[in-house]
Amino acid sequence: MNPLLSRLQPYPFERLRELFAGVTPNPAFRPISLGIGEPKHPTPEFIKQALNAAMYDATTDLAAYPPTAGTPRLRQAFSGWLQRRYGLDIDPATQVLPVNGSREALFAFGQTVIDPARDRPVVVCPNPFYQIYEGAALLGGAQPYYAPSDPARNFAVDWDGVPQSVWARTQLLFVCSPGNPTGAVMPLAEWKKLFELSDRHGFVIASDECYSEIYFRDEPPLGGLEAAAKLGRGDFRNLVSFTSLSKRSNVPGLRSGFVAGDARLMKQFLLYRTYHGSAMSPIVQAASMVAWGDEAHVVENRAMYRAKFAEVTPLLAPVLDVSLPDAGFYLWAGVGESDTAFARDLLAQYNVTVLPGSYLARESAGFNPGAARIRMALVAETAECVEAAQRIVQFVKNRSKQEFP
Ligand SMILES: Cc1ncc(COP(=O)(O)O)c(C=O)c1O
């Protein structure tokens, strides 16, 4: 067996199952889960119809293996979207690749980039973070370094706190903007800093942008490639962005996304993916093309999240340390006490599931930046999220009465 497998951490939901073992949720309430970050808005009909139509289209050849690089038309759909969304000129022949969701791509990219034979390789990632980054680092033979996000600066990651000796050994940096779970969007100045560090130390930046289309400010979130272009780095050297249809178009079950950026990295990633056997089905390719080509459903989806967050956030703000994030579909709230005790008692008393923040972060330099926080995924319909928020308000009020009778 590969001994590195034993270094993988249990997934947050496994830990949640353990935490909730033996808890009987109050049967007076129907269960509401704000735990899993999985879109629940309906998949647009036109995407399902495109899947259906592609099955019987004369140009769909299920008797042939699809190319790992995707068809030229699919690649043009990616570069067309990048042009419309970010104003970027991307070469569809060399600077984009289809992936079966960004999760597998983020993981596989680590295996492509990391050279475990070099001196004690490091992968830097934000803290809290999406757990796949850690798995990619560990199975790539690298040591993860967790850079904490700072609640006092809208959860910006403290890149300045990473020691130079760590940057010197860094081969890969994961960034997540908009962030899961914080919702923070990285501004241009932060990108500039990271590009300078990448130039100095030669590491690759993997920019996870799967929440880019769900935002609450007027300005759409700045993309990594967009930041590079603005800073005169039109070759996107050492930079790859990861984009997905899962949240944008409510199709996590389709498993469809793409990566774009540095042509040199794309070439090596394509080589890796050919061996890995991760080509996209022609049916999924056809549905993906129509999904990337349509923005009306994305505008509608965003409006649904905006309306929901506008109702739920003010309900919770008087009892929790929480405010409207820049983007994403999570509230990342301070609870002022143990996050695990809060989550367990909330389930027991009000049958609402939230994720303890400490499960999404690691202890580093003596503290866990997820401790005393919870993540709430506002993915269910508004009425259900509002009801959950009302129960949480009641729960917190009762709890403080118990503490200060
Ligand atoms: C930060 C982040 N990146 C990537 C993913 C993976 O999404 P997908 O594989 O559906 O594109 C998720 C899913 O929850 C996520 O939260």
Side-chain angles (χ1 to χ4, degrees), residues 46-242:
F46 79 92
I47 298 180
K48 292 193 208 167
Q49 279 159 8
L51 272 172
N52 229 351
M55 192 115 70
Y56 297 102
D57 190 296
T59 61
T60 305
D61 189 0
L62 283 176
Y65 282 106
T68 306
T71 60
R73 278 182 59 220
L74 178 69
R75 295 154 72 98
Q76 257 150 23
F78 301 153
S79 59
W81 184 79
L82 289 167
Q83 168 67 50
R84 292 189 298 280
R85 171 67 169 82
Y86 297 115
L88 296 169
D89 285 324
I90 296 283
D91 179 1
T94 60
Q95 292 180 311
V96 291
L97 280 177
V99 299
N100 299 313
S102 50
R103 178 181 180 141
E104 65 91 359
L106 289 159
F107 179 78
F109 193 63
Q111 316 307 298
T112 309
V113 167
I114 300 163
D115 174 1
R118 264 171 51 196
D119 179 33
R120 296 165 298 147
V122 171
V123 171
V124 175
C125 69
N127 195 22
F129 61 100
Y130 180 54
Q131 190 154 320
I132 300 305
Y133 312 152
E134 183 185 57
L138 292 171
L139 283 187
Q143 189 60 39
Y145 182 93
Y146 308 103
S149 75
D150 180 359
R153 292 187 299 121
N154 185 33
F155 301 106
V157 176
D158 180 19
W159 306 117
D160 293 335
V162 179
Q164 286 302 315
S165 57
V166 169
W167 284 127
R169 289 190 283 126
T170 299
Q171 296 189 20
L172 176 62
L173 164 67
F174 282 107
V175 300
C176 186
S177 174
N180 171 5
T182 66
V185 170
M186 282 206 338
L188 191 63
E190 218 173 306
W191 279 108
K192 187 163 183 280
K193 179 182 297 184
L194 295 181
F195 291 146
E196 282 165 9
L197 284 163
S198 161
D199 286 348
R200 196 171 327 138
H201 300 290
F203 60 75
V204 170
I205 302 177
S207 175
D208 180 355
E209 305 180 5
C210 69
Y211 294 96
S212 66
E213 304 316 291
I214 302 169
Y215 53 88
F216 305 104
R217 315 278 179 227
D218 294 338
E219 279 279 286
L222 178 69
L225 301 180
E226 185 187 13
K230 280 189 170 151
L231 295 167
R233 305 167 67 91
D235 59 352
F236 311 118
R237 59 187 172 278
N238 273 336
L239 174 66
V240 171
S241 73
F242 294 71

Side-chain angles (χ1 to χ4, degrees), residues 311-328:
E311 276 203 52
V312 173
T313 317
L315 288 175
L316 292 171
V319 297
L320 298 178
D321 174 15
V322 70
S323 55
L324 189 69
D326 294 337

Side-chain angles (χ1 to χ4, degrees), residues 265-276:
L265 295 171
M266 288 292 124
K267 194 167 171 220
Q268 295 300 94
F269 197 30
L270 175 59
L271 173 65
Y272 179 92
R273 299 182 67 71
T274 309
Y275 276 81
H276 190 59

